[in-house]
Each structure stands twice: as structure tokens, then as C-alpha cells.
Amino acid sequence: IVFFSIGENYFYVGFSILSLLLLTGLTMQDRQQREMFHQTNLQASQLEAQMLRQNIQPHFLMNSLTTILEWVEVEPAKAGQFIELLADEFRLFNAISQKQIITVMEEIQLCQVHLDVMGYRLQKSFKLNLENVDLSRNIPPGLFHTLIENGISHNSYCQEVVVFILSESKNEYNLTYTLHTPLAADHQSKQSYNASGTGSKYIRSRLEQSFPDRWQFVSFQQNEYWVTRIIIKD
């Protein structure tokens, strides 16, 4: 209104300035969003490297090598099987850690190998039961593997058979994966499952990278299980 009152020429000049300011603002906003996306990718890559280093850390390797040395003398065949399983896990983990998205089947294969490795090492039977899980779906790598690894490393299991349960449910709004991690026989866990842990950070970062602003990650204790849910909005 002011521009019209002081003349048509001033209106066009003012309109041009206003358009330039709006364009500058949109450009700055787009740059900020791209920078945030870059930071998310960078954080995911850093956490991926941390997770990989954690999986091959000296403590893990030392325990594995100690187990091998004990078996080499008395049960060479068993030691050989353990070495093969350990090599399979490293091979699978290295293959999928470089990808942003893998199939659920690939993730389950990694989980099964890890359960076999830990079962050999701890002389227990670790199992993963699947309920209505579509193996052809795509997910970020290492989600279920991280949760299962945390469950084993932070529980002192005295039971001979330990069964993890992974289920899938879907409605028109959400796709939900639920993992029931059995607690030790006393129903207590040494793991706090807080959001500051490396594993939780890795999962959150991977979800944000693949499904920005369309996911939830919740966990809670329910009787003899620690229940973790990954919810992806359709």
C-alpha cells in the first residue's frame, strides 16, 4: 500500500527488493537443511566406525582367542568350527556395514552367526525366533544385531537356552519391529539401555538417516524381557 501511494516506479523497486530478500532467505534455509543432512550422514558414518571398532575391540578378540586356545588342545574340531563362525561374522559385518540399506534377511543372517559365535564361546544355546517377519523388507544395517549383542554382553545368563524373539506388525500408519530380549534368570540386567550408549546412538542415527522424522525407538522392561520397539511411519 505504501509503495502504491508513493508511485508505481517505487512499487516495482520495492517488490524487486522484497523478492530478493525472500529468495535469499529460502537459499539460506536450503543451505541449513543440506548442512543438517550432511551432519546426520557424518554422524552415522562415525557411529558406524565406532560400532565396527567395538565389535573387533581387543577385549572381544582376546576372549575369542582364549576360547580357541582352550579348545585347540582338547577339541581341535570345535576350535576350527569356532574360527569359521568368527570369520563368517566379521565377513558379513564388513559387507553390510558399508551399505545404507540391506534386506531383513541379510540382517537376520548376521544375527544368527553372532548368536552361534556367542553360543560357542559361552557354551550356551542362543536362538532367535521370528514371528511374522517379512525378510524381503529393507532396513538400515546392524539394528537387530546391535540390540542382540547388547543383550548378550549385558546379561549374565545362567540358563542354558536363551531365546530372543523378533516380531513384525504393520497397519496403515506404521511398521513396527519388536525385539524381546530375555533377561538373566533373576530378571535383572546390567545394561541401563539409556540413550547415551553407543549402540542406541548408532540405531537412532541410522533410522534418522534412512527415515528422517518418521521413526520411533522405545524400550522398557516387561516381566522377564527387555522389550525394544522400532516404529517406522508409513
Side-chain angles (χ1 to χ4, degrees):
I1 293 173
V2 172
F3 289 146
F4 269 121
S5 66
I6 62 177
E8 185 178 355
N9 291 334
Y10 287 104
F11 169 79
Y12 288 115
V13 172
F15 184 82
S16 298
I17 294 175
L18 179 61
S19 299
L20 181 61
L21 290 174
L22 289 173
L23 181 61
T24 302
L26 290 173
T27 302
M28 293 177 63
Q29 184 180 10
D30 179 69
R31 182 184 302 171
Q32 184 180 14
Q33 289 177 343
R34 284 189 283 110
E35 185 173 347
M36 290 175 61
F37 181 77
H38 173 72
Q39 290 296 326
T40 299
N41 287 340
L42 179 61
Q43 184 183 16
S45 299
Q46 292 172 341
L47 289 169
E48 174 189 323
Q50 290 178 13
M51 183 183 175
L52 184 58
R53 286 196 300 270
Q54 182 182 10
N55 198 54
I56 60 174
Q57 62 182 327
H59 179 70
F60 177 83
L61 288 176
M62 184 61 67
N63 287 340
S64 299
L65 290 174
T66 300
T67 303
I68 293 171
L69 289 174
E70 291 175 354
W71 286 339
V72 162
E73 295 294 333
V74 294
E75 296 183 80
K78 198 171 185 178
Q81 290 177 335
F82 183 73
I83 293 173
E84 290 179 2
L85 286 172
L86 199 59
D88 287 342
E89 181 175 8
F90 286 141
R91 191 181 303 111
L92 283 172
F93 195 94
N94 183 62
I96 71 170
S97 66
Q98 308 300 322
K99 301 178 182 179
Q100 182 174 339
I101 289 292
I102 62 172
T103 64
V104 174
M105 177 178 290
E106 291 176 290
E107 178 74 9
I108 296 303
Q109 288 174 344
L110 178 63
C111 293
Q112 295 285 9
V113 172
H114 183 69
L115 290 172
D116 290 341
V117 168
M118 298 307 296
Y120 263 78
R121 203 175 88 180
L122 300 178
Q123 294 294 280
K124 297 185 182 299
S125 177
F126 290 108
K127 298 181 179 180
L128 175 61
N129 288 348
L130 305 179
E131 296 180 354
N132 301 318
V133 177
D134 185 350
L135 299 178
S136 65
R137 293 192 189 278
N138 293 325
I139 59 170
L143 299 187
F144 306 144
H145 177 274
T146 301
L147 295 174
I148 290 174
E149 191 277 333
N150 284 345
I152 295 176
S153 62
H154 292 89
N155 281 285
S156 298
Y157 292 115
C158 59
Q159 51 266 56
E160 292 300 319
V161 180
V162 180
V163 180
F164 294 80
I165 304 172
L166 177 65
S167 61
E168 175 190 322
S169 60
K170 191 179 187 306
N171 56 35
E172 60 178 315
Y173 303 108
N174 300 317
L175 170 66
T176 303
Y177 292 104
T178 304
L179 180 68
H180 284 75
T181 299
L183 299 177
D186 57 2
H187 294 183
Q188 299 298 319
S189 171
K190 295 184 292 184
Q191 186 173 6
S192 62
Y193 290 92
N194 57 47
S196 62
T198 301
S200 295
K201 287 181 179 179
Y202 173 83
I203 291 172
R204 293 174 186 276
S205 180
R206 279 296 199 181
L207 289 171
E208 180 61 26
Q209 184 183 30
S210 300
F211 313 104
D213 298 324
R214 295 192 295 113
W215 58 273
Q216 287 180 280
F217 177 55
V218 296
S219 56
F220 53 91
Q221 183 172 340
Q222 185 180 73
N223 300 323
E224 70 272 20
Y225 291 99
W226 188 266
V227 181
T228 306
R229 287 200 175 104
I230 295 175
I231 304 170
I232 301 170
K233 297 180 181 178
D234 193 354

